[in-house]
Every structure is written in structure tokens, then in C-alpha cells.
Amino acid sequence: KFTGKYPFSLSLNRNLLDFYATFPLCDLSVYFRAEPSKTFTNSMDKIVKIHLKGKSRPEQIAWLLDLVQQVFIHKPDVEVHKTEVYYFPEETAFYPYADCEDLSVFLSWLICRYVTSEVLVLYYPTHVAIAVECFEGREVFKFRNKEYLICDPSYRGAVPGKIIPACASLKPVIVSYLLFIVLFYFRFLPQGIGQKRISGRSVSVQFSMVESPLTPEGEGSSLKEHYVSSLQIADLDSLPDDVPIRPN
């Protein structure tokens, strides 16, 4: 049961929550691709769909972002668990605190279910947020000829297009799990997919060196100022062991 700006109650699958409690810590991609129980999904449908009806796509994205920002209490894992822990969407709704990864997973699921927009995951050195495909808006950036809005569910009160100040000048590693799902479903996963540690996280991606889409035009073009994109061009073996997150 949630109070405050968005008072509502949710139904959860306790058996699934008990199972998640025994689940070993996995690659974060597992959580971004997970589907909650039908009990939880049906409960969310009753809450969300009525509020999104009649809204434009940017308005729907903004409402879902604000919902996650206002409903959940952000607290770093190191303060709660003394170690890194990831939550599935249903766990985030159950436990009293969640961090940036958990909130990004939850918001990603909401966006994919209710707005049906493509979601990118943005990995910063000490932070995770998402970007949502959007066909209109002031704060969009282009990636692979599509326009996206940054959505930071950990930054309470921030509108789409804004990231926490500590990351505002940094360039994220961009990961698209949607293409991973499509390739996996049709068994087209190329050999370049593998594990790579980025900012202390182990991420399943297919790497290529590409210029960061968030880089201002005219900035330098050395390899150290290029970043990894995922699941676009396979070139895993050519990547150095230490993938730079930002220029030196």
C-alpha cells in the first residue's frame, strides 16, 4: 500500500517474492528483461491505464517517471544491504527501499508495457538511468537515428530530459536490451556477446567502439573519447580490457 501523491494498493505474488529471495545476484540485464507475475501486472494495469488515457506519449512518459520518483524511497544498497543487490520489478514494489538500478528496472518495465517505447539503459560510473524513445520533446538526444528522452527515476522531481547533477557532464555507456531480446528469441545472437565489467557491474553486451551520442559536436575523436554501445556491431575481441567510461 502506497500513500502520498499517488495513494494506491498493489497485489503481489508472495510465492514469486519468496523465490526471488533465493535468487543469486545476476547480470543486470536479467532484471531488465524480467516479467512480473500476472497478479502484480493486473494490479498495476488498474492503476496506470486510467491515468494514461488521453495523454500524449511525452505526457505518459512524464507521468510514469513521476510515479516512480514519488512512490519509492531511494536509498543506496550499501546503506541497506552493505553490498550490491538488484530487485525485480515486483520486489521493488515490496521492499521499503530501492536504488537507481532497481528504480530504472521498474520504470523500464512500466514504459515498455504502457507506452510501448524502446528503452535504453544508461550506465554512468556510479549511477544508472534510462532513456526512452520519444517522437517529440525539447530534451531529446539522437541515437541510431532515433530520438530519446533521458529519464532518471532516482532524481525526485526531475522531468524527462534531466539526470542527477553529478552525472550531467558525464557520458554514459548506452545499452539496448530490446535488441538482445529480439536476437535471442530468433536465435540470432552473434558470437560477440559476452560479459564485460563496466563501472563495477557485469553487463551482457555486444561491443563496438562508437562515438557517444551525448557528445557535443566538434569534440575530439580519439578512442578514449569513444564509448561502448551494445548489441549493434560485434567487435568484442578488439576492445581493450579497461573500457573507458569518460575521457581522461
Side-chain angles (χ1 to χ4, degrees):
K1 185 175 182 179
F2 298 93
T3 59
K5 185 176 180 179
Y6 299 102
F8 61 88
S9 297
L10 283 175
S11 298
L12 306 174
N13 185 323
R14 189 55 197 245
N15 291 332
L16 186 58
L17 289 170
D18 290 342
F19 170 71
Y20 285 154
T22 69
F23 214 74
L25 184 65
C26 297
D27 184 278
L28 191 54
S29 63
V30 174
Y31 302 83
F32 273 103
R33 301 198 302 268
E35 281 293 329
S37 68
K38 289 184 178 180
T39 299
F40 175 78
T41 301
N42 292 338
S43 185
M44 285 298 302
D45 284 350
K46 295 176 183 178
I47 298 163
V48 173
K49 288 183 176 180
I50 190 171
H51 288 282
L52 296 187
K53 187 176 181 180
K55 287 182 170 63
S56 65
R57 182 181 295 247
E59 289 173 336
Q60 291 177 339
I61 293 170
W63 189 89
L64 291 172
L65 175 62
D66 188 62
L67 174 71
V68 176
Q69 290 172 343
Q70 300 298 330
V71 163
F72 300 113
I73 300 174
H74 177 275
K75 187 172 284 191
D77 282 338
V78 67
E79 296 182 20
V80 179
H81 306 288
K82 309 302 180 185
T83 187
E84 187 72 84
V85 174
Y86 300 145
Y87 285 158
F88 291 96
E90 204 154 344
E91 289 183 293
T92 299
F94 176 72
Y95 291 107
Y97 305 109
D99 70 352
C100 60
E101 291 96 346
D102 309 321
L103 298 179
S104 293
V105 167
F106 195 93
L107 179 59
S108 175
W109 175 76
L110 289 177
I111 295 293
C112 290
R113 178 166 183 82
Y114 299 110
V115 187
T116 61
S117 289
E118 182 179 351
V119 172
L120 302 176
V121 184
L122 307 179
Y123 288 90
Y124 295 87
T126 58
H127 189 57
V128 173
I130 67 171
V132 181
E133 184 184 2
C134 188
F135 303 110
E136 52 184 300
R138 297 179 181 179
E139 301 286 345
V140 299
F141 71 89
K142 288 190 176 182
F143 179 73
R144 301 288 176 181
N145 297 319
K146 295 181 180 180
E147 293 186 336
Y148 295 86
L149 274 171
I150 294 176
C151 293
D152 190 347
S154 304
Y155 190 11
R156 179 168 287 192
V159 297
K162 302 298 182 182
I163 192 77
I164 59 171
C167 295
S169 62
L170 303 181
K171 302 171 185 177
V173 171
I174 300 176
V175 178
S176 172
Y177 290 123
L178 174 64
L179 184 54
F180 183 95
I181 297 171
V182 173
L183 292 173
F184 181 83
Y185 182 82
F186 290 103
R187 303 187 185 280
F188 288 156
L189 285 179
Q191 295 179 355
I193 298 245
Q195 297 287 326
K196 198 75 177 178
R197 292 197 67 79
I198 300 174
S199 300
R201 302 177 181 88
S202 181
V203 185
S204 291
V205 291
Q206 176 186 355
F207 294 95
S208 64
M209 299 303 287
V210 298
E211 188 172 355
S212 168
L214 303 187
T215 302
E217 290 185 8
E219 197 164 316
S221 59
S222 69
L223 273 182
K224 287 188 177 181
E225 294 185 10
H226 286 204
Y227 295 81
V228 289
S229 173
S230 69
L231 308 166
Q232 304 292 342
I233 302 172
D235 194 14
L236 182 62
D237 293 336
S238 67
L239 259 182
D241 292 333
D242 297 324
V243 179
I245 300 300
R246 49 182 170 171
N248 293 329

